[in-house]
Amino acid sequence: MNFQDKVKNKASGIVVYGITPPKAGTNPDKVKEIASKQMARLSHLDLDGLILYDIQDEESRTSVERPFPFMETLDGLEYSQQYLHELSIPNIIYRSVGKYSEAELSEFLTHPGMSKNGTVFVGAASKDQAVTLNMKQAYALKASVNKNMIMGGVTIPERHLTKGDEHIRVFEKIAQGCDFFVSQGVYDVNATKSFLSDYYYYGQEHDIPLVPILLTLTPCGSPKTLDFMKWLGISIPRWLETELIHSQDILNQSVDVCVQSWNEIKAFADEKNIPIGVNIESVATRKVEIDASIDLYHRIKETL
Amino acid sequence: MNFQDKVKNKASGIVVYGITPPKAGTNPDKVKEIASKQMARLSHLDLDGLILYDIQDEESRTSVERPFPFMETLDGLEYSQQYLHELSIPNIIYRSVGKYSEAELSEFLTHPGMSKNGTVFVGAASKDQAVTLNMKQAYALKASVNKNMIMGGVTIPERHLTKGDEHIRVFEKIAQGCDFFVSQGVYDVNATKSFLSDYYYYGQEHDIPLVPILLTLTPCGSPKTLDFMKWLGISIPRWLETELIHSQDILNQSVDVCVQSWNEIKAFADEKNIPIGVNIESVATRKVEIDASIDLYHRIKETL
């Protein structure tokens, strides 16, 4: 079954991989080289889809200095079309909607190259960010110009621990057309289970079918990557942070932790038939960390 | 090995059971009957010790109404001496030190009936509680009148999540004579692991041997018991509270959860040689809940 059908069938076990396009201004030969490497790494994997992030400068969200510098990237759709066409899996192209005009977003949504692809809309990083389109407008536009395109939303289980309404946000996005969700990086099993638990019971009470939630798993290969994950808003239990910092092999231990977390969450979700899947990524660009994300893919696949 | 030797050897795997003496003013025949039942339940178990709590009215700690009414109980030492002598295991008799004069506490610490027993000092429930002796004075008194008596302290891993210094408090109490610790009821695995992790690394860095931490496990047989546990300050992850409330069999599910939590914490602690043990209790007095605590004992014993 392809990605679109799996999503429409609200299937469990969807596995995607997430990448960020090369930075803007990269020499085309270099872009080609990067794309070849990415395709070589991913082409032999049994992935349901490839996520291409659309990162935005989130400096308005936090006053803490970004551990890795922010860099504008190539446009996800262009990169996908020009460089990744040999990779025969659907691309899920993110759109930080506040960066685009209505005409631009409309063109993207009706682009012939998007027929087998999907998208995920991302809202502003904070209330203070100046935006062209807000999420409500973007969802309305999408519903009017291309109702059938598979569309995902972002969910942040960590937010659920303090606000307790993440499941409500998710159902509101489902009502506006979201067919699946991609979580923030999961290192806090309790936050994820707490969100899934409320998602499940709210769905039951209001008789709303649950759509797939893809949990993002990402290895952590250094204290700097750990800082970056925390900067991104990923919550890490205190003991786990201490363990990783003291670890002789932080990278492998983080992969073990991701697999354990996945197994624990999967046992919880399977018992209730909550459809969950996985999005694997490496937030760092070092080769060892990317390789670890591929190991993580194989270890997750074994559980499915 | 007996309880005292296990504690002195800083052994892992100590298992004790905690009870509250019958309420003050109970007719002696009724007390005898209660004691017989308790002994019948516990005498065939392979326990290292029996904890007798010394509960105090904690109304100064919280403005939330206590789900079960507070009742003065019989004195733990008197109850132990007069009614539980057939139970041939050491008793660990709690003392809420703020309730006693220096002379009373001194008499308790040098009482001949305490020779094979141990004690745990408990401080005021809040800063606003009027006390006769504070913890520092009580520890000093104990050191001067009976240095050798085994003494435990109370630890609250939940506090570690917000304050981050629970391990420091524990080392301060070790310096003042504590030989072991008893935790608050464990339903938040992350809080406990976070505390144990900092306890371990601080001990390593300062070359201080770790003393046994007895983790309190308590079944939960009803939403009212759940409220009471929360009132007592036990932190329960949101998903778990939701699961227990929706459960067809809250009591058995809570026992399963306790066993899972114990296994997860034990795996963590064993890897680092952190000495941990278990204190099993029932915060509720219903027979089914007490029976479940005995089931829990057997399931924990299987893991040791």
Side-chain angles (χ1 to χ4, degrees):
Chain A
M1 214 188 289
N2 67 22
F3 177 70
Q4 294 186 338
D5 289 338
K6 282 191 182 178
V7 169
K8 282 181 184 157
N9 282 306
K10 303 176 185 2
S12 249
I14 292 171
V15 179
V16 302
Y17 189 92
I19 61 169
T20 303
K23 64 180 187 221
T26 307
N27 168 312
D29 286 345
K30 180 71 185 167
V31 175
K32 214 168 181 174
E33 191 190 319
I34 294 169
S36 299
K37 276 193 195 156
Q38 286 179 328
M39 285 191 291
R41 223 175 257 133
L42 302 174
S43 59
H44 62 286
L45 308 185
D46 179 23
L47 290 167
D48 293 303
L50 177 71
I51 281 178
L52 286 115
Y53 294 113
D54 183 17
I55 59 172
Q56 53 188 331
D57 195 353
E58 299 187 35
E59 65 171 7
S60 65
R61 183 173 56 80
T62 167
S63 59
V64 179
E65 199 190 343
R66 200 180 200 276
F68 295 105
F70 169 74
M71 278 186 264
E72 225 27 275
T73 70
L74 293 181
D75 178 82
L77 178 57
E78 277 177 46
Y79 182 59
S80 157
Q81 293 277 300
Q82 292 175 28
Y83 297 94
L84 301 178
H85 45 84
E86 286 169 29
L87 206 62
S88 59
I89 51 173
N91 288 186
I92 302 142
I93 298 175
Y94 272 48
R95 278 296 184 248
S96 293
V97 298
K99 284 163 58 171
Y100 305 93
S101 69
E102 190 174 326
E104 285 167 335
L105 197 62
S106 185
E107 195 190 326
F108 166 79
L109 289 165
T110 53
H111 191 289
M114 287 297 287
S115 63
K116 287 178 183 163
N117 286 347
T119 189
V120 169
F121 288 172
V122 181
S126 80
K127 281 179 298 187
D128 301 328
Q129 185 183 326
V131 297
T132 45
L133 281 179
N134 65 30
M135 289 293 274
K136 206 175 159 186
Q137 293 166 328
Y139 284 140
L141 180 68
K142 194 267 178 190
S144 81
V145 305
N146 191 349
K147 203 170 168 41
N148 292 326
M149 182 190 286
I150 290 291
M151 177 173 65
V154 169
T155 178
I156 302 177
E158 275 89 343
R159 207 155 51 183
H160 199 56
L161 289 187
T162 46
K163 301 197 175 166
D165 66 351
E166 191 62 20
H167 60 302
I168 306 286
R169 288 168 188 252
V170 159
F171 282 112
E172 280 170 1
K173 287 185 182 177
I174 292 173
Q176 291 175 91
C178 284
D179 305 301
F180 70 100
F181 288 84
V182 181
S183 82
Q184 182 164 258
V186 169
Y187 270 87
D188 185 336
V189 170
N190 274 334
T192 304
K193 283 168 84 170
S194 292
F195 158 68
L196 289 177
S197 162
D198 287 329
Y199 177 55
Y200 170 77
Y201 287 109
Y202 189 96
Q204 288 261 306
E205 277 161 33
H206 297 82
D207 208 16
I208 311 172
L210 304 183
V211 307
I213 310 286
L214 310 189
L215 303 175
T216 296
L217 300 178
T218 177
C220 172
S222 73
K224 192 171 178 186
T225 302
L226 189 67
D227 279 347
F228 186 46
M229 294 188 337
K230 285 166 70 183
W231 185 90
L232 287 167
I234 296 175
S235 122
I236 300 167
R238 185 180 169 114
W239 65 268
L240 182 51
E241 185 176 343
T242 308
E243 286 307 301
L244 290 174
I245 288 168
H246 283 86
S247 178
Q248 302 292 321
D249 186 350
I250 183 169
L251 189 56
N252 271 321
Q253 187 165 359
S254 75
V255 171
D256 286 347
V257 165
C258 287
V259 174
Q260 278 164 28
S261 299
W262 166 250
N263 281 328
E264 184 175 341
I265 297 167
K266 185 173 185 292
F268 181 79
D270 283 356
E271 206 192 303
K272 300 186 150 49
N273 288 316
I274 306 169
I276 60 168
V278 180
N279 168 39
I280 292 163
E281 61 167 16
S282 171
V283 299
T285 53
R286 283 198 307 153
K287 186 175 180 300
V288 287
E289 299 196 52
I290 295 171
D291 288 348
S293 72
I294 305 297
D295 289 346
L296 177 56
Y297 160 86
H298 289 295
R299 292 186 56 188
I300 295 296
K301 270 289 187 180
E302 279 170 18
T303 71
L304 295 170
Chain B
M1 215 188 286
N2 67 22
F3 176 69
Q4 294 186 338
D5 290 338
K6 282 192 182 177
V7 169
K8 282 181 186 157
N9 283 305
K10 303 178 184 0
S12 250
I14 293 171
V15 179
V16 302
Y17 189 92
I19 63 168
T20 302
K23 66 180 187 222
T26 306
N27 169 312
D29 287 345
K30 181 72 186 169
V31 176
K32 214 167 180 173
E33 191 191 318
I34 294 171
S36 301
K37 275 192 197 158
Q38 286 178 330
M39 287 191 290
R41 225 175 256 132
L42 302 174
S43 59
H44 62 286
L45 308 185
D46 179 23
L47 290 168
D48 293 303
L50 176 71
I51 282 178
L52 286 114
Y53 294 113
D54 183 18
I55 60 172
Q56 53 188 331
D57 196 353
E58 301 187 33
E59 67 171 4
S60 65
R61 185 175 53 80
T62 166
S63 59
V64 178
E65 200 188 342
R66 200 179 200 276
F68 295 105
F70 168 74
M71 278 185 266
E72 226 26 276
T73 71
L74 293 180
D75 178 81
L77 178 57
E78 277 177 45
Y79 182 59
S80 158
Q81 294 276 300
Q82 292 175 27
Y83 297 94
L84 301 178
H85 46 84
E86 287 169 30
L87 207 62
S88 58
I89 51 172
N91 288 186
I92 302 141
I93 298 176
Y94 272 48
R95 277 299 183 244
S96 293
V97 298
K99 285 164 55 172
Y100 305 94
S101 69
E102 191 176 323
E104 285 168 334
L105 197 62
S106 185
E107 196 191 326
F108 166 78
L109 289 166
T110 52
H111 192 287
M114 287 297 288
S115 64
K116 287 181 183 160
N117 286 346
T119 188
V120 168
F121 287 172
V122 181
S126 80
K127 282 178 295 186
D128 302 328
Q129 186 183 323
V131 297
T132 44
L133 281 178
N134 66 29
M135 289 294 273
K136 208 176 158 185
Q137 292 166 327
Y139 284 139
L141 179 68
K142 195 267 179 189
S144 80
V145 305
N146 192 348
K147 204 170 167 43
N148 291 325
M149 181 189 287
I150 290 290
M151 177 174 64
V154 169
T155 178
I156 302 177
E158 275 89 343
R159 208 155 51 182
H160 199 56
L161 289 186
T162 46
K163 302 196 175 167
D165 65 351
E166 192 61 20
H167 59 303
I168 307 287
R169 288 167 187 252
V170 159
F171 282 112
E172 281 169 0
K173 287 184 182 178
I174 291 174
Q176 292 176 90
C178 283
D179 304 301
F180 71 99
F181 288 84
V182 181
S183 82
Q184 182 163 259
V186 169
Y187 270 88
D188 186 335
V189 171
N190 275 333
T192 304
K193 283 168 83 170
S194 292
F195 158 67
L196 290 176
S197 162
D198 287 329
Y199 177 54
Y200 170 78
Y201 286 109
Y202 189 94
Q204 289 262 307
E205 277 160 34
H206 298 81
D207 206 17
I208 312 171
L210 304 183
V211 306
I213 309 286
L214 310 188
L215 304 174
T216 296
L217 300 177
T218 177
C220 173
S222 73
K224 193 171 178 186
T225 303
L226 189 66
D227 280 347
F228 185 45
M229 294 187 338
K230 286 166 68 183
W231 185 89
L232 287 167
I234 297 175
S235 123
I236 301 166
R238 185 180 169 114
W239 66 268
L240 182 51
E241 185 176 345
T242 308
E243 286 307 301
L244 290 174
I245 289 168
H246 283 85
S247 177
Q248 302 292 319
D249 186 351
I250 182 170
L251 188 56
N252 271 319
Q253 188 164 356
S254 74
V255 171
D256 287 347
V257 165
C258 287
V259 174
Q260 277 164 28
S261 299
W262 165 249
N263 282 328
E264 184 175 341
I265 297 166
K266 186 174 184 294
F268 182 78
D270 284 355
E271 207 192 302
K272 302 186 148 47
N273 289 318
I274 306 169
I276 60 167
V278 181
N279 168 38
I280 293 164
E281 61 167 16
S282 171
V283 299
T285 53
R286 284 199 307 153
K287 184 174 181 305
V288 287
E289 300 193 52
I290 295 171
D291 288 348
S293 72
I294 305 297
D295 289 346
L296 177 55
Y297 160 85
H298 289 295
R299 290 185 59 188
I300 294 297
K301 270 288 186 180
E302 280 170 20
T303 71
L304 294 171

PDB file of all heavy atoms in Angstrom, chain B residues 274-287:
ATOM      1  N   ILE B 274      23.421   0.824  42.167  1.00  0.00           N
ATOM      2  CA  ILE B 274      22.762   1.663  43.170  1.00  0.00           C
ATOM      3  C   ILE B 274      21.910   0.711  44.016  1.00  0.00           C
ATOM      4  O   ILE B 274      21.057   0.011  43.471  1.00  0.00           O
ATOM      5  CB  ILE B 274      21.837   2.726  42.525  1.00  0.00           C
ATOM      6  CG1 ILE B 274      22.590   3.567  41.493  1.00  0.00           C
ATOM      7  CG2 ILE B 274      21.200   3.607  43.604  1.00  0.00           C
ATOM      8  CD1 ILE B 274      21.677   4.458  40.640  1.00  0.00           C
ATOM      9  N   PRO B 275      22.154   0.655  45.350  1.00  0.00           N
ATOM     10  CA  PRO B 275      21.377  -0.285  46.157  1.00  0.00           C
ATOM     11  C   PRO B 275      19.936   0.194  46.345  1.00  0.00           C
ATOM     12  O   PRO B 275      19.698   1.223  46.976  1.00  0.00           O
ATOM     13  CB  PRO B 275      22.129  -0.321  47.494  1.00  0.00           C
ATOM     14  CG  PRO B 275      22.872   0.977  47.557  1.00  0.00           C
ATOM     15  CD  PRO B 275      23.154   1.397  46.141  1.00  0.00           C
ATOM     16  N   ILE B 276      19.006  -0.535  45.779  1.00  0.00           N
ATOM     17  CA  ILE B 276      17.598  -0.179  45.996  1.00  0.00           C
ATOM     18  C   ILE B 276      16.840  -1.380  46.558  1.00  0.00           C
ATOM     19  O   ILE B 276      17.252  -2.525  46.390  1.00  0.00           O
ATOM     20  CB  ILE B 276      16.885   0.349  44.727  1.00  0.00           C
ATOM     21  CG1 ILE B 276      16.896  -0.687  43.596  1.00  0.00           C
ATOM     22  CG2 ILE B 276      17.501   1.656  44.246  1.00  0.00           C
ATOM     23  CD1 ILE B 276      15.954  -0.336  42.451  1.00  0.00           C
ATOM     24  N   GLY B 277      15.772  -1.085  47.226  1.00  0.00           N
ATOM     25  CA  GLY B 277      14.901  -2.106  47.774  1.00  0.00           C
ATOM     26  C   GLY B 277      13.467  -1.627  47.665  1.00  0.00           C
ATOM     27  O   GLY B 277      13.185  -0.649  46.964  1.00  0.00           O
ATOM     28  N   VAL B 278      12.572  -2.306  48.357  1.00  0.00           N
ATOM     29  CA  VAL B 278      11.151  -1.998  48.210  1.00  0.00           C
ATOM     30  C   VAL B 278      10.472  -1.901  49.574  1.00  0.00           C
ATOM     31  O   VAL B 278      10.774  -2.687  50.473  1.00  0.00           O
ATOM     32  CB  VAL B 278      10.436  -3.105  47.390  1.00  0.00           C
ATOM     33  CG1 VAL B 278       8.961  -2.782  47.218  1.00  0.00           C
ATOM     34  CG2 VAL B 278      11.086  -3.269  46.033  1.00  0.00           C
ATOM     35  N   ASN B 279       9.592  -0.944  49.690  1.00  0.00           N
ATOM     36  CA  ASN B 279       8.666  -0.867  50.813  1.00  0.00           C
ATOM     37  C   ASN B 279       7.257  -0.960  50.237  1.00  0.00           C
ATOM     38  O   ASN B 279       6.847  -0.119  49.442  1.00  0.00           O
ATOM     39  CB  ASN B 279       8.834   0.468  51.545  1.00  0.00           C
ATOM     40  CG  ASN B 279       7.711   0.730  52.532  1.00  0.00           C
ATOM     41  OD1 ASN B 279       7.245  -0.190  53.199  1.00  0.00           O
ATOM     42  ND2 ASN B 279       7.268   1.984  52.614  1.00  0.00           N
ATOM     43  N   ILE B 280       6.555  -2.011  50.603  1.00  0.00           N
ATOM     44  CA  ILE B 280       5.201  -2.204  50.064  1.00  0.00           C
ATOM     45  C   ILE B 280       4.182  -1.790  51.119  1.00  0.00           C
ATOM     46  O   ILE B 280       4.329  -2.105  52.300  1.00  0.00           O
ATOM     47  CB  ILE B 280       4.996  -3.676  49.633  1.00  0.00           C
ATOM     48  CG1 ILE B 280       5.908  -3.961  48.434  1.00  0.00           C
ATOM     49  CG2 ILE B 280       3.535  -3.946  49.295  1.00  0.00           C
ATOM     50  CD1 ILE B 280       6.097  -5.418  48.144  1.00  0.00           C
ATOM     51  N   GLU B 281       3.162  -1.108  50.680  1.00  0.00           N
ATOM     52  CA  GLU B 281       2.123  -0.683  51.625  1.00  0.00           C
ATOM     53  C   GLU B 281       0.797  -0.579  50.882  1.00  0.00           C
ATOM     54  O   GLU B 281       0.740  -0.680  49.661  1.00  0.00           O
ATOM     55  CB  GLU B 281       2.476   0.681  52.223  1.00  0.00           C
ATOM     56  CG  GLU B 281       2.574   1.763  51.168  1.00  0.00           C
ATOM     57  CD  GLU B 281       2.619   3.183  51.709  1.00  0.00           C
ATOM     58  OE1 GLU B 281       2.869   3.367  52.899  1.00  0.00           O
ATOM     59  OE2 GLU B 281       2.389   4.100  50.905  1.00  0.00           O
ATOM     60  N   SER B 282      -0.246  -0.404  51.639  1.00  0.00           N
ATOM     61  CA  SER B 282      -1.534  -0.057  51.057  1.00  0.00           C
ATOM     62  C   SER B 282      -1.977   1.233  51.730  1.00  0.00           C
ATOM     63  O   SER B 282      -2.132   1.268  52.952  1.00  0.00           O
ATOM     64  CB  SER B 282      -2.559  -1.165  51.317  1.00  0.00           C
ATOM     65  OG  SER B 282      -3.851  -0.708  50.926  1.00  0.00           O
ATOM     66  N   VAL B 283      -2.133   2.302  50.954  1.00  0.00           N
ATOM     67  CA  VAL B 283      -2.566   3.556  51.592  1.00  0.00           C
ATOM     68  C   VAL B 283      -4.038   3.473  51.987  1.00  0.00           C
ATOM     69  O   VAL B 283      -4.499   4.217  52.835  1.00  0.00           O
ATOM     70  CB  VAL B 283      -2.320   4.827  50.725  1.00  0.00           C
ATOM     71  CG1 VAL B 283      -0.837   5.000  50.442  1.00  0.00           C
ATOM     72  CG2 VAL B 283      -3.128   4.827  49.451  1.00  0.00           C
ATOM     73  N   ALA B 284      -4.778   2.551  51.365  1.00  0.00           N
ATOM     74  CA  ALA B 284      -6.191   2.372  51.706  1.00  0.00           C
ATOM     75  C   ALA B 284      -6.332   1.185  52.647  1.00  0.00           C
ATOM     76  O   ALA B 284      -5.463   0.318  52.713  1.00  0.00           O
ATOM     77  CB  ALA B 284      -7.013   2.151  50.438  1.00  0.00           C
ATOM     78  N   THR B 285      -7.439   1.142  53.392  1.00  0.00           N
ATOM     79  CA  THR B 285      -7.607   0.077  54.383  1.00  0.00           C
ATOM     80  C   THR B 285      -8.591  -0.996  53.921  1.00  0.00           C
ATOM     81  O   THR B 285      -8.846  -1.962  54.643  1.00  0.00           O
ATOM     82  CB  THR B 285      -8.126   0.669  55.714  1.00  0.00           C
ATOM     83  OG1 THR B 285      -9.309   1.435  55.428  1.00  0.00           O
ATOM     84  CG2 THR B 285      -7.084   1.577  56.348  1.00  0.00           C
ATOM     85  N   ARG B 286      -9.129  -0.861  52.718  1.00  0.00           N
ATOM     86  CA  ARG B 286     -10.054  -1.887  52.204  1.00  0.00           C
ATOM     87  C   ARG B 286      -9.305  -3.212  52.044  1.00  0.00           C
ATOM     88  O   ARG B 286      -8.159  -3.242  51.593  1.00  0.00           O
ATOM     89  CB  ARG B 286     -10.611  -1.478  50.854  1.00  0.00           C
ATOM     90  CG  ARG B 286     -11.682  -0.400  50.918  1.00  0.00           C
ATOM     91  CD  ARG B 286     -12.499  -0.381  49.635  1.00  0.00           C
ATOM     92  NE  ARG B 286     -11.654  -0.283  48.450  1.00  0.00           N
ATOM     93  CZ  ARG B 286     -11.982  -0.742  47.251  1.00  0.00           C
ATOM     94  NH1 ARG B 286     -13.134  -1.363  47.075  1.00  0.00           N
ATOM     95  NH2 ARG B 286     -11.181  -0.595  46.223  1.00  0.00           N
ATOM     96  N   LYS B 287      -9.998  -4.314  52.342  1.00  0.00           N
ATOM     97  CA  LYS B 287      -9.354  -5.623  52.285  1.00  0.00           C
ATOM     98  C   LYS B 287      -8.793  -5.932  50.888  1.00  0.00           C
ATOM     99  O   LYS B 287      -7.672  -6.416  50.765  1.00  0.00           O
ATOM    100  CB  LYS B 287     -10.344  -6.714  52.707  1.00  0.00           C
ATOM    101  CG  LYS B 287      -9.696  -8.099  52.774  1.00  0.00           C
ATOM    102  CD  LYS B 287     -10.625  -9.152  53.323  1.00  0.00           C
ATOM    103  CE  LYS B 287      -9.928 -10.520  53.392  1.00  0.00           C
ATOM    104  NZ  LYS B 287      -9.366 -10.967  52.123  1.00  0.00           N
TER     105      LYS B 287
END
